[in-house]
Amino acid sequence: MSELLRLDKVACIRGDRLLFEKLSLTLDRGNALWLRGPNGAGKSSLIRLAAGLLRPAAGSVERRERCALIDEAAALDPELPLRRALYFWARIDTVDGHTVDRAMEEMALGPLSEVPVAMLSTGQRKRAAMVRIIASGAPIWLLDEPANGMDDAAQARLVAAIARHRANGGAVLLASHFALGINDLTELDLGALA
């Protein structure tokens, strides 16, 4: 079966505010869905619903494969050198160090492997978070504003990583204020649902 993620008639309430309701979507292998909309439209909430970090007020969420999430927090120990911080997550994801090292090269972070995470710029921390996503081997990528703080070269690496992931049968749910130049991208405007 090619379907990796299904949301069926989902509603999301944050505080006392209904962000959306009766929202249904599916992500198949190779798909990329761009969640658009103004701040507060529910992009991040929808990503968190898909990840299982929020419960829908109504409807259901079904993940048929593992997912990997990037959001505003890189979740890397700031005191550790970058490679050691990434290796910590590799052990949890049961992947080897070579996988992490390849992902670091993919995101051009090899030269920063011994730099403490606390010393990295915002864009470098976002790239480090993408290393975690890439190395995890999870078929479903849930990316909440993954390009924040990235320069043009880093964004190009991000787009290339997404293209490789999709070509290998993965799927991407992307919340962003801009499309990043990703090919064959389906759009869902959450602002239009309000």
Side-chain angles (χ1 to χ4, degrees), residues 33-84:
L33 176 61
W34 175 30
L35 304 175
R36 297 178 44 221
N39 290 339
K43 298 182 300 294
S44 295
S45 294
L46 184 52
I47 292 275
R48 294 177 71 75
L49 282 169
L53 299 174
L54 283 179
R55 295 184 73 150
S60 63
V61 177
E62 183 180 355
R63 285 171 303 283
R64 296 207 168 125
E65 292 280 357
R66 290 181 309 117
C67 63
L69 169 71
I70 183 175
D71 60 11
E72 69 278 351
L76 296 171
D77 186 331
E79 303 304 316
L80 289 179
L82 178 58
R83 178 177 278 124
R84 282 189 43 212

Side-chain angles (χ1 to χ4, degrees), residues 12-56:
C12 182
I13 298 171
R14 297 304 303 256
D16 293 333
R17 190 167 151 244
L18 176 68
L19 297 177
F20 50 81
E21 63 182 335
K22 298 179 184 170
L23 187 147
S24 295
L25 65 86
T26 59
L27 266 184
D28 294 335
R29 293 187 183 281
N31 286 165
L33 176 61
W34 175 30
L35 304 175
R36 297 178 44 221
N39 290 339
K43 298 182 300 294
S44 295
S45 294
L46 184 52
I47 292 275
R48 294 177 71 75
L49 282 169
L53 299 174
L54 283 179
R55 295 184 73 150

Side-chain angles (χ1 to χ4, degrees), residues 3-6 27 50 62-69 133 136-143 165 169-173:
E3 186 177 277
L4 296 177
L5 176 69
R6 171 184 291 275
L27 266 184
E62 183 180 355
R63 285 171 303 283
R64 296 207 168 125
E65 292 280 357
R66 290 181 309 117
C67 63
L69 169 71
I133 298 291
S136 75
I140 305 167
W141 286 4
L142 306 172
L143 308 179
H165 180 64
V172 178
L173 185 61

Side-chain angles (χ1 to χ4, degrees), residues 115-161:
V115 174
V117 171
M119 301 298 293
L120 299 176
S121 71
T122 300
Q124 290 166 340
R125 279 194 294 275
K126 279 292 187 174
R127 284 190 285 147
M130 275 307 300
V131 168
R132 280 188 53 208
I133 298 291
I134 293 164
S136 75
I140 305 167
W141 286 4
L142 306 172
L143 308 179
D144 191 359
E145 300 291 351
N148 280 2
M150 286 188 180
D151 61 21
D152 290 344
Q155 286 183 27
R157 288 181 179 279
L158 170 65
V159 170

Side-chain angles (χ1 to χ4, degrees), residues 161-191:
I162 289 170
R164 276 189 294 280
H165 180 64
R166 293 173 67 195
N168 291 326
V172 178
L173 185 61
L174 168 73
S176 177
H177 288 290
F178 48 97
L180 296 170
I182 297 169
N183 292 329
D184 193 26
L185 186 64
T186 306
E187 297 180 28
L188 174 59
D189 186 352
L190 291 178

